[in-house]
Amino acid sequence: MKAAITILAGDGVGPEIMSATLKLLDKVAICKGHDFTYHEALIGGIAIDQTGSALPDETLRLAEQSDAILLAAVGGPKWDNPTAAVRPEQGLLKIRKHFGLFANLRPVKTYPALAHHAPLRAELLDGVDMLFVRELTGGLYFGPRKEQDGGSDAYDTMLYSVDEVERVAHVAFRAAQMRRKKLTSVDKANVLAAMRLWRSTVMRVHEDYADVELEHSLVDSCTMHLLTRPSNFDVILAGNMFGDILSDEASVLAGSLGMLPSASLGDGTFGLYEPVHGSAPDIAGQGKANPTGMILSAAMMLRYSLGMESEAKAIEQAVEDTLASGARTADIASDGRFISTQEFVDDVLQHLNL
Ligand code: IPM
Ligand code: MG
């Protein structure tokens, strides 16, 4: 099968984890007779340096002609001034919005091989396997806002419409139907009007999914339950801001933020795939980055945008086997012994059975 993939390596550890991941995709293409065309383009800090924009038009043009986007990470100290008019993160928010990628899927599971690395007791981690469905193009991130503008106030607005909640709720319920049929919807309905609309809308959508058990969880108590009974969660549906926060918290369960992949989807099969972690500028260029989140994001791309389920599974299995064999990058090494990003990927390649 032919596929065009836009490659956005971005900043920090981005280029290292991207080139590592492309090695795996190349192997998938060769072994399965696929024809992947990569279109490299700019986003984030490097795009600001070269073009003045965090998301140049050329990048959007290439992405519009692609089947999927693979994105590594954006940002770094060089562009960190929060009052700057142009910031790397704007590229990320703009590309999500441009393609209408309203549903952000972030699976979190624990690997038995890493159970002793996570700061939680191993018995709490047994059976942890959850999927966050984070609303990605609305809420506090995109509501009306006012910058400080020299005055003494500034604000952001948490705005949700029924339509916005409905479409992402359908994604979450459908995902739950294919898993353990339990959905936890996160809100703050005891305080926020937008979250009361969220809850009542999710309850209405639930009427179409009688086989799924629905529970509502206030975001503050959800943060606690993620640590005290993480294996009870199946699918967790949350708005943009709460989903951002909770998914970083949940990454602790997986042993490292470097482990987590994500898929951002809209109405069709087109999607953007990026690890949940950021650009980690402190370790950039040292071969220390954990490429797992990026590799698993590529697997999600094969699954959701390219319809290559068996290839996706093969990559996921290879990662699991690599971890089971004892291979560790710096972030998940517990005895100080670790291998480089490239060596880790070479191990995954060795374990890849297509
Ligand atoms: C994420 C990141 C982004 C977000 C930032 C970098 C804009 O934290 O993808 O979770 O807040 O969505
Ligand atoms: Mg985040």
Side-chain angles (χ1 to χ4, degrees):
M1 187 192 147
K2 261 177 156 18
I5 306 166
T6 295
I7 303 294
L8 306 178
D11 308 314
V13 297
E16 298 160 59
I17 57 173
M18 182 63 85
S19 69
T21 301
L22 294 185
K23 271 189 173 179
L24 275 167
L25 286 180
D26 286 343
K27 175 145 182 205
V28 168
I30 289 168
C31 292
K32 304 298 271 187
H34 299 311
D35 180 0
F36 295 153
T37 310
Y38 305 133
H39 298 294
E40 288 184 30
L42 297 171
I43 193 168
I46 187 173
I48 294 174
D49 286 354
Q50 292 190 22
T51 71
S53 160
L55 184 66
D57 290 344
E58 169 71 1
T59 299
L60 282 178
R61 201 185 55 76
L62 278 173
E64 280 163 2
Q65 294 161 14
S66 302
D67 299 295
I69 303 168
L70 208 49
L71 188 156
V74 301
K78 184 173 174 195
W79 310 279
D80 247 1
N81 177 4
T83 60
V86 186
R87 294 187 305 279
E89 291 76 13
Q90 292 166 339
L92 207 51
L93 301 180
K94 197 169 150 196
I95 201 165
R96 291 169 177 171
K97 191 76 171 176
H98 180 84
F99 288 102
L101 305 172
F102 59 84
N104 181 220
L105 274 44
R106 297 184 163 188
V108 178
K109 60 178 247 173
T110 49
Y111 293 87
L114 296 184
H116 293 279
H117 181 74
L120 261 68
R121 290 198 308 277
E123 73 255 27
L124 279 176
L125 296 173
D126 196 26
V128 169
D129 181 359
M130 60 183 88
L131 174 70
F132 281 90
V133 178
R134 169 189 175 195
E135 199 291 324
L136 202 61
T137 53
L140 261 182
Y141 276 55
F142 291 96
R145 78 166 37 121
K146 177 177 165 294
E147 299 287 346
Q148 193 180 356
D149 285 345
S152 61
D153 65 355
Y155 59 76
D156 301 277
T157 315
M158 185 183 283
L159 170 67
Y160 269 119
S161 69
V162 168
D163 286 355
E164 282 175 311
V165 181
E166 271 177 4
R167 63 185 184 178
V168 74
H170 280 291
V171 172
F173 277 112
R174 284 199 298 269
Q177 278 184 322
M178 299 177 65
R179 295 171 47 103
R180 301 196 306 279
K181 299 191 169 45
K182 181 169 173 193
L183 178 69
T184 305
S185 172
V186 180
D187 61 42
K188 188 71 187 172
N190 54 347
V191 179
L192 303 173
M195 293 286 92
R196 284 190 281 278
L197 175 142
W198 179 278
R199 187 177 289 207
S200 60
T201 305
V202 171
M203 286 169 77
R204 249 195 338 275
V205 174
H206 183 213
E207 290 166 13
D208 295 348
Y209 302 87
D211 54 334
V212 177
E213 181 197 338
L214 170 66
E215 70 173 6
H216 303 279
S217 178
L218 294 172
V219 64
D220 45 355
S221 78
C222 190
T223 59
M224 194 174 61
H225 290 143
L226 274 172
L227 303 182
T228 53
R229 51 170 183 86
S231 60
N232 282 10
F233 291 99
D234 181 13
V235 177
I236 302 178
L237 170 64
N240 207 343
M241 180 88 256
F242 294 164
D244 178 48
I245 298 169
L246 294 177
S247 57
D248 264 35
E249 184 195 8
S251 75
V252 171
L253 307 165
S256 162
L257 189 53
M259 300 295 296
L260 299 197
S262 86
S264 302
L265 302 167
D267 284 322
T269 58
F270 182 85
L272 179 152
Y273 301 84
E274 53 174 324
V276 173
H277 66 74
S279 60
D282 49 320
I283 56 162
Q286 300 173 28
K288 278 193 187 161
N290 183 348
T292 304
M294 184 81 247
I295 292 171
L296 295 176
S297 299
M300 291 183 90
M301 174 186 79
L302 296 176
R303 169 173 297 124
Y304 293 113
S305 284
L306 307 184
M308 300 178 183
E309 176 64 27
S310 72
E311 288 87 335
K313 277 221 175 78
I315 289 183
E316 288 161 353
Q317 190 62 51
V319 167
E320 189 153 349
D321 293 346
T322 301
L323 292 167
S325 77
R328 298 286 183 269
T329 45
D331 57 323
I332 48 174
S334 33
D335 58 2
R337 280 186 304 142
F338 57 86
I339 57 177
S340 71
T341 310
Q342 287 300 336
E343 286 167 331
F344 187 86
V345 171
D346 289 339
D347 274 13
V348 178
L349 276 168
Q350 294 281 324
H351 285 97
L352 187 59
N353 286 316
L354 287 158

